Amino acid sequence: MNRKLKIIRAAAALFLIIVALPLLVAFKQQNSSKSLEEFCRTKVSGSINEILIQLKSAKTILETSKSIKSTKLVKSYSKARKAYKEIEFFIEYYSAFDAKFFINGPLVPKIELEISSEPFPPRGFQVIEEILFSDDKIDSEGLTKEYDLLIQKFEFLKEHYSTINIEENKLHDALQLQIVRIMCLTLNGYDCTINKESIKESAHAIAGMEAIMCFYKEKSTLTEPEENAYSRLTMAFKACRKELLKHPDSDTFDRLRFMIDFLNPLYIELQIFLKELQVKKSDLSYAVNFEVTSFFENESINRQCFSVYVHDSTALKEQAELGRLLFYDPVLSGNNKRACASCHNSSMAFTDAQDKSLSYNGSDKLTRNAPTLINAAYQKLFFHDGRQFNLEEQANSVFNNVHEMNTNEKEIVLKLKQSREYRELFSNAYKNTQDSSITAYSILKSLSEYIKTLESRSSKFDKYLRGTKTALTVEEKNGYNLFAGKALCGSCHFFPLFNGTVPPMFNDNEFEVIGTPERGDNKNIDPDRGRKHITGSSIHEHAFKTPSLRNIEYTAPYMHNGVYDNLDSVLVFYNRGGGVGLGLKVENQTLPFDSLGLSKKELNNIKSFLLTLSDTVGLTGKPNKLPRFENQRLNSRKIGGEY
């Protein structure tokens, strides 16, 4: 080889190293991103094809068979459900409305006021499940209708998903949210309430996630730390599926142990691997805080996400402390004698221990029970009937209610401006803004920031979740498993907040019709029409927002009307099947009518678990003094109100 040729080849090699090789790597990385999109699209399309095959097969059985063999229908249904659960993470993320209203929503009519005041009847898989697994004769006409609707919906989604942009970071978000969904909904009987296949379906959901993550197994650009993290993640996936398939019975499955020993570790390993990939985070904000690795930690749910003022996050500590003073100051009422604390006493978990709170006139009672304010920030709708959308609107409604505080924001602003101390406090909490001079906004926001500090996620139960194995007794652990399993309590009071804010997006509140009686004799239904006053819909006749069960030990009497003064009576009410089980006429009850069949021991275990949710330690109480006014008459007011 001549010297000139050697020089040319050496130059070419040098060019490859300096210029071409980085371009090839960049091209490979770019192609890798596209490959993930196509990899996911192929998986989703394959699952939808399987769903359509099974739905069409079932429809053919209904149309051609003279004697409907339910075993064949059940088999097709199970295969379709398996395929659906494997891509549930994707459909719930990219088509949340369709999932809720047409594919896999609960067996109750629903209303989306932003779309229509007309109720959406239950549709999809859960309706089919109810027909297939009930003891009644199979309703072939009803089944055919549901199959037609589902087929139409999945054919639309198949076409829709063939063109949408599937971004890697959004896909990562969907996978993380799916683990939360399994933990909070699937394992708690949110679906599969009739055939009780939730444990097996959780395994299918995890297998679907694992199938997507397999993309990274063949990605040759993984670094050593990424490979190690992926290896641990793969082991966590397999361990979860193995444990679920080993114990498929819903009533006896140890959900608590599974969440602690298997599912939360999977969540942690997924978080670690995704952080190792260093993919740019999506610009969307979620209630689930992906910056906190374990879902059991106190900050794993971002309470600021529930506020209407999400981006107004400066001087929150100062605003909350100002809000505490306002909360206990009766100057916010029309007669300077009632405070927010009048009905929300810190020594009673921010309730008042009354069946119904005292009215403004000091002699009559209001129409409903005062709910706890602890964890009140973790909601999207407020009051028992959900008539307000945020804490600020809720407080303003109380001010303007003639039976509660009997005042208005304009009057409150004028009074507070008469205090030099309040003027200074507002100026400090709202520096360099127009609200530093005391405005309706700054008053309401300060109150909301204080209420956000009333947080309870450090109870005995939470400590057990975080690794203190001695925190719970055998009875308490059994109680949780009954609560989430056989008793179906967890299908309305969602883990881990145990209220009706629906995980994992936490952007919706559920309302239930349980048939609460008017008095303890259980003879008549309470006349309060509940959410019907707000929506005007018959499906919301006697419907009320699902309340929090945290600190239930301190929040008696119970129900929206305070009809039951002890927890045992509440448990018996639910065990008997709510109002219908008591013999009351409740045409639209959403609670199962039949008795849950719980023994006295099982009821006691559930009660024992509920008492582990007590946690008021560290929550601030009354301030030592209130700001003074130039008007000496106002300085005689009582901290926390007179009544």
Side-chain angles (χ1 to χ4, degrees):
M1 184 182 299
N2 61 42
R3 185 169 177 270
K4 187 175 181 180
L5 185 57
K6 286 182 179 180
I7 292 173
I8 292 172
R9 288 188 175 180
L14 186 61
F15 172 81
L16 180 63
I17 294 171
I18 296 174
V19 179
L21 188 58
L23 290 173
L24 287 171
V25 171
F27 174 78
K28 186 173 182 180
Q29 289 175 339
Q30 184 182 16
N31 194 49
S32 174
S33 177
K34 289 182 178 179
S35 295
L36 175 61
E37 181 174 15
E38 291 307 314
F39 184 85
C40 180
R41 202 188 308 279
T42 300
K43 292 286 185 182
V44 171
S45 178
S47 291
I48 290 179
N49 283 337
E50 175 63 15
I51 292 168
L52 288 170
I53 287 170
Q54 297 305 327
L55 294 177
K56 291 175 180 178
S57 172
K59 186 183 173 186
T60 300
I61 293 171
L62 285 169
E63 292 172 343
T64 60
S65 179
K66 293 181 179 179
S67 58
I68 299 170
K69 295 182 179 179
S70 60
T71 52
K72 288 185 178 180
L73 292 175
V74 168
K75 189 174 181 180
S76 288
Y77 175 81
S78 297
K79 288 181 177 180
R81 284 288 296 182
K82 178 179 181 293
Y84 170 72
K85 279 292 176 177
E86 288 173 349
I87 57 170
E88 182 183 43
F89 74 92
F90 189 90
I91 291 178
E92 285 280 359
Y93 189 86
Y94 286 96
S95 305
F97 183 85
D98 287 331
K100 177 181 178 181
F101 288 96
F102 300 106
I103 298 175
N104 195 41
L107 285 168
V108 292
K110 298 170 286 293
I111 285 181
E112 194 78 13
L113 287 176
E114 293 180 358
I115 298 173
S116 171
S117 59
E118 291 297 314
F120 288 80
R123 287 280 179 258
F125 280 121
Q126 295 203 50
V127 177
I128 294 174
E129 178 192 333
E130 184 180 41
I131 296 172
L132 283 181
F133 293 92
S134 69
D135 294 330
D136 301 329
K137 183 181 177 181
I138 289 180
D139 176 8
S140 58
E141 185 177 342
L143 266 182
T144 301
K145 180 180 178 181
E146 292 303 323
Y147 284 131
D148 282 336
L149 289 169
L150 265 185
I151 289 167
Q152 182 181 4
K153 180 57 64 179
F154 278 109
E155 285 179 339
F156 164 78
L157 289 179
K158 181 181 178 182
E159 177 64 26
H160 175 59
Y161 293 154
S162 68
T163 57
I164 66 168
N165 182 30
I166 304 172
E167 299 169 79
E168 187 172 15
N169 51 12
K170 303 272 179 65
L171 193 59
H172 290 172
D173 292 348
L175 292 167
Q176 292 171 91
L177 291 167
Q178 179 68 351
I179 297 181
V180 177
R181 181 176 293 105
I182 294 168
M183 198 179 293
C184 303
L185 296 182
T186 312
L187 287 176
N188 288 271
Y190 189 68
D191 48 8
C192 298
T193 55
I194 311 296
N195 68 359
K196 294 190 173 184
E197 292 284 335
S198 59
I199 309 304
K200 188 184 295 183
E201 290 204 351
S202 295
H204 298 330
I206 288 171
M209 297 171 60
E210 185 179 8
I212 294 299
M213 295 306 292
C214 280
F215 164 79
Y216 292 102
K217 181 171 63 175
E218 300 175 5
K219 189 176 180 181
S220 59
T221 57
L222 285 182
T223 65
E224 186 175 347
E226 289 170 350
E227 287 182 353
N228 292 336
Y230 180 80
S231 178
R232 293 194 304 272
L233 176 61
T234 301
M235 291 173 63
F237 273 125
K238 285 180 168 53
C240 278
R241 286 193 291 104
K242 182 179 178 181
E243 184 68 15
L244 288 164
L245 295 174
K246 188 165 61 175
H247 306 285
D249 183 69
S250 177
D251 286 347
T252 61
F253 185 70
D254 190 343
R255 290 163 170 79
L256 194 54
R257 186 178 76 87
F258 176 72
M259 287 197 303
I260 293 170
D261 292 345
F262 295 92
L263 198 52
N264 194 52
L266 172 62
Y267 184 77
I268 292 170
E269 293 299 344
L270 179 60
Q271 295 270 55
I272 291 171
F273 176 67
L274 296 181
K275 285 176 182 176
E276 286 288 351
L277 289 177
Q278 296 183 347
V279 175
K280 183 181 178 182
K281 295 184 180 300
S282 68
D283 55 0
L284 300 177
S285 60
Y286 306 97
V288 176
N289 183 4
F290 295 145
E291 296 302 314
V292 177
T293 305
S294 168
F295 188 64
F296 297 155
E297 295 304 315
N298 203 36
E299 299 297 325
S300 65
I301 301 175
N302 178 17
R303 65 176 178 270
Q304 200 65 21
C305 190
F306 293 82
S307 175
V308 68
Y309 307 118
V310 176
H311 302 296
D312 187 354
S313 57
T314 57
L316 296 184
K317 185 177 180 181
E318 291 81 1
Q319 291 171 15
E321 183 54 32
L322 172 56
R324 182 167 80 105
L325 294 173
L326 294 170
F327 186 86
Y328 285 93
D329 198 334
V331 79
L332 269 63
S333 66
N335 60 7
N336 305 311
K337 293 182 179 181
R338 278 169 68 86
C340 302
S342 295
C343 297
H344 300 284
N345 191 322
S346 61
S347 64
M348 301 172 186
F350 291 86
T351 64
D352 60 5
Q354 303 295 315
D355 58 345
K356 300 178 183 71
S357 299
L358 197 62
S359 179
Y360 181 81
N361 64 21
S363 57
D364 296 328
K365 285 193 172 184
L366 299 175
T367 59
R368 293 172 184 165
N369 178 262
T372 179
L373 294 184
I374 300 175
N375 287 359
Y378 294 106
Q379 300 177 79
K380 285 294 185 181
L381 295 172
F382 293 83
F383 292 108
H384 287 291
D385 54 19
R387 64 182 179 271
Q388 296 296 355
F389 293 91
N390 53 66
L391 283 168
E392 294 80 10
E393 289 180 353
Q394 184 267 342
N396 201 32
S397 291
V398 173
F399 291 153
N400 286 273
N401 190 314
V402 296
H403 302 296
E404 296 185 58
M405 300 290 268
N406 192 27
T407 184
N408 59 68
E409 57 271 31
K410 184 177 180 180
E411 182 180 321
I412 294 171
V413 168
L414 290 174
K415 279 198 284 188
L416 291 177
K417 284 187 175 182
Q418 298 174 38
S419 166
R420 179 179 59 81
E421 289 186 45
Y422 264 128
R423 291 196 300 269
E424 290 177 354
L425 287 166
F426 274 90
S427 179
N428 183 53
Y430 295 91
K431 287 179 182 177
N432 303 319
T433 71
Q434 63 181 8
D435 302 294
S436 62
S437 61
I438 307 181
T439 63
Y441 169 87
S442 56
I443 293 168
L444 296 172
K445 184 167 190 296
S446 297
L447 282 167
S448 74
E449 291 303 333
Y450 170 62
I451 293 171
K452 289 175 194 174
T453 69
L454 306 180
E455 187 170 33
S456 170
R457 285 194 68 188
S458 297
S459 64
K460 280 176 60 178
F461 181 75
D462 296 300
K463 290 173 183 174
Y464 184 81
L465 291 177
R466 293 169 192 157
T468 306
K469 296 293 187 180
T470 57
L472 298 185
T473 66
V474 172
E475 290 75 18
E476 290 164 347
K477 288 183 281 188
N478 289 342
Y480 174 78
N481 285 320
L482 285 163
F483 175 94
K486 183 178 178 182
L488 294 175
C489 312
S491 64
C492 295
H493 298 275
F494 305 117
F495 174 90
L497 299 175
F498 298 104
N499 63 12
T501 312
V502 186
M505 301 307 288
F506 295 94
N507 58 4
D508 191 15
N509 272 100
E510 291 216 332
F511 294 82
E512 301 291 342
V513 180
I514 62 175
T516 305
E518 183 179 17
R519 286 182 289 273
D521 59 12
N522 296 328
K523 290 184 178 179
N524 298 295
I525 190 170
D526 187 89
D528 191 331
R529 307 186 79 177
R531 191 154 173 77
K532 173 76 179 290
H533 287 298
I534 310 304
T535 66
S537 175
S538 60
I539 71 167
H540 285 144
E541 186 78 61
H542 308 301
F544 295 92
K545 187 177 65 176
T546 303
S548 171
L549 298 182
R550 283 184 175 269
N551 295 294
I552 196 170
E553 179 179 4
Y554 308 121
T555 58
Y558 305 107
M559 306 303 197
H560 71 273
N561 58 357
V563 66
Y564 295 129
D565 60 8
N566 63 80
L567 200 48
D568 294 302
S569 297
V570 176
L571 291 171
V572 168
F573 168 81
Y574 280 105
N575 193 36
R576 291 179 64 179
V580 173
L582 295 174
L584 304 180
K585 186 178 180 180
V586 193
E587 295 180 355
N588 59 327
Q589 182 168 305
T590 57
L591 193 71
F593 307 150
D594 299 331
S595 169
L596 294 171
L598 298 169
S599 67
K600 186 175 181 180
K601 180 181 178 181
E602 288 173 326
L603 290 172
N604 285 334
N605 283 349
I606 293 174
K607 179 181 177 181
S608 295
F609 154 67
L610 292 173
L611 298 181
T612 70
L613 298 175
S614 300
D615 172 29
T616 60
V617 177
L619 297 181
T620 54
K622 290 184 180 181
N624 295 324
K625 66 182 186 68
L626 294 173
R628 294 186 63 78
F629 280 77
E630 281 79 24
N631 182 342
Q632 294 301 315
R633 181 178 59 85
L634 292 175
N635 290 329
S636 62
R637 67 200 191 281
K638 181 181 177 182
I639 299 172
E642 296 180 22
Y643 67 101

